[in-house]
Coordinates of all heavy atoms in Angstrom, one line a residue:
Chain B
S1 N 89.0 -69.6 3.3 CA 89.8 -70.0 4.5 C 89.4 -69.2 5.7 O 88.8 -68.1 5.6 CB 91.3 -69.8 4.2 OG 91.6 -68.4 3.9
Y2 N 89.6 -69.8 6.9 CA 89.2 -69.2 8.1 C 90.1 -68.0 8.5 O 91.3 -68.1 8.4 CB 89.2 -70.3 9.2 CG 88.5 -69.9 10.5 CD1 87.1 -70.0 10.5 CD2 89.2 -69.5 11.6 CE1 86.4 -69.7 11.7 CE2 88.5 -69.1 12.7 CZ 87.1 -69.2 12.8 OH 86.4 -68.9 13.9
V3 N 89.4 -67.0 9.0 CA 90.2 -65.7 9.3 C 89.9 -65.4 10.8 O 88.8 -65.4 11.3 CB 89.7 -64.6 8.4 CG1 90.4 -63.3 8.8 CG2 90.0 -64.9 6.9
L4 N 91.0 -65.0 11.4 CA 91.0 -64.5 12.8 C 91.3 -63.0 12.8 O 92.4 -62.7 12.2 CB 91.9 -65.3 13.7 CG 91.6 -66.8 13.9 CD1 92.7 -67.5 14.7 CD2 90.3 -66.9 14.6
T5 N 90.5 -62.2 13.5 CA 90.7 -60.8 13.5 C 91.1 -60.3 14.9 O 90.3 -60.5 15.8 CB 89.5 -60.1 12.9 OG1 89.2 -60.5 11.6 CG2 89.7 -58.6 12.9
Q6 N 92.2 -59.6 15.0 CA 92.6 -59.0 16.3 C 92.9 -57.5 16.1 O 93.3 -57.1 15.0 CB 94.0 -59.6 16.7 CG 94.0 -61.1 17.0 CD 95.3 -61.6 17.5 OE1 95.9 -62.5 17.0 NE2 95.8 -61.0 18.6
P7 N 92.6 -56.8 17.1 CA 93.0 -55.3 17.1 C 94.5 -55.2 17.0 O 95.2 -55.9 17.6 CB 92.4 -54.8 18.4 CG 92.4 -55.9 19.3 CD 92.1 -57.1 18.5
P8 N 95.0 -54.2 16.2 CA 96.4 -54.1 16.0 C 97.1 -53.7 17.3 O 98.3 -54.1 17.6 CB 96.6 -53.0 15.0 CG 95.3 -53.0 14.3 CD 94.3 -53.4 15.3
S9 N 96.5 -53.0 18.2 CA 97.1 -52.5 19.4 C 96.1 -52.4 20.5 O 94.9 -52.1 20.3 CB 97.8 -51.2 19.2 OG 96.9 -50.2 18.8
V10 N 96.6 -52.6 21.7 CA 95.9 -52.3 23.0 C 96.8 -51.7 23.9 O 98.0 -52.1 24.1 CB 95.3 -53.6 23.6 CG1 94.8 -53.4 25.0 CG2 94.2 -54.2 22.7
S11 N 96.4 -50.6 24.6 CA 97.2 -49.9 25.6 C 96.5 -50.0 27.0 O 95.3 -49.9 27.1 CB 97.4 -48.5 25.2 OG 98.1 -48.4 24.0
V12 N 97.3 -50.1 28.0 CA 96.8 -50.2 29.4 C 97.8 -49.7 30.4 O 99.0 -49.9 30.1 CB 96.4 -51.7 29.7 CG1 97.6 -52.6 29.7 CG2 95.6 -51.8 31.0
A13 N 97.3 -49.1 31.4 CA 98.2 -48.7 32.5 C 98.6 -49.8 33.4 O 97.9 -50.8 33.5 CB 97.6 -47.6 33.3
P14 N 99.8 -49.7 34.0 CA 100.2 -50.8 34.9 C 99.2 -51.0 36.0 O 98.6 -50.0 36.5 CB 101.5 -50.3 35.5 CG 102.0 -49.3 34.5 CD 100.8 -48.7 33.9
G15 N 98.9 -52.3 36.4 CA 98.0 -52.6 37.4 C 96.5 -52.7 36.9 O 95.7 -53.2 37.7
Q16 N 96.3 -52.3 35.7 CA 94.9 -52.4 35.2 C 94.8 -53.7 34.4 O 95.7 -54.5 34.4 CB 94.6 -51.2 34.2 CG 94.7 -49.9 34.9 CD 93.8 -49.8 36.1 OE1 92.5 -50.0 36.0 NE2 94.3 -49.5 37.3
T17 N 93.6 -53.9 33.8 CA 93.3 -55.1 33.1 C 93.3 -54.9 31.6 O 92.7 -54.0 31.1 CB 91.9 -55.7 33.5 OG1 91.9 -56.0 34.9 CG2 91.5 -56.9 32.7
A18 N 94.0 -55.8 30.9 CA 94.1 -55.7 29.5 C 93.2 -56.8 28.9 O 93.2 -58.0 29.4 CB 95.5 -55.9 29.0
R19 N 92.4 -56.5 27.9 CA 91.6 -57.5 27.2 C 91.9 -57.4 25.7 O 91.8 -56.4 25.1 CB 90.1 -57.3 27.4 CG 89.7 -57.5 28.9 CD 88.2 -57.3 29.1 NE 87.8 -57.5 30.5 CZ 88.0 -56.6 31.5 NH1 88.4 -55.4 31.2 NH2 87.6 -56.9 32.7
I20 N 92.3 -58.6 25.2 CA 92.7 -58.7 23.8 C 91.7 -59.6 23.1 O 91.6 -60.8 23.5 CB 94.1 -59.1 23.6 CG1 95.1 -58.2 24.2 CG2 94.5 -59.3 22.1 CD1 96.6 -58.6 24.3
T21 N 91.0 -59.1 22.1 CA 90.0 -59.9 21.4 C 90.5 -60.6 20.2 O 91.5 -60.2 19.5 CB 88.8 -59.1 21.1 OG1 89.2 -58.0 20.2 CG2 88.2 -58.5 22.4

Side-chain angles (χ1 to χ4, degrees):
Chain B
S1 58
Y2 195 78
V3 176
L4 294 174
T5 301
Q6 296 182 236
S9 63
V10 167
S11 298
V12 64
Q16 298 304 302
T17 298
R19 293 179 180 85
I20 299 172
T21 59

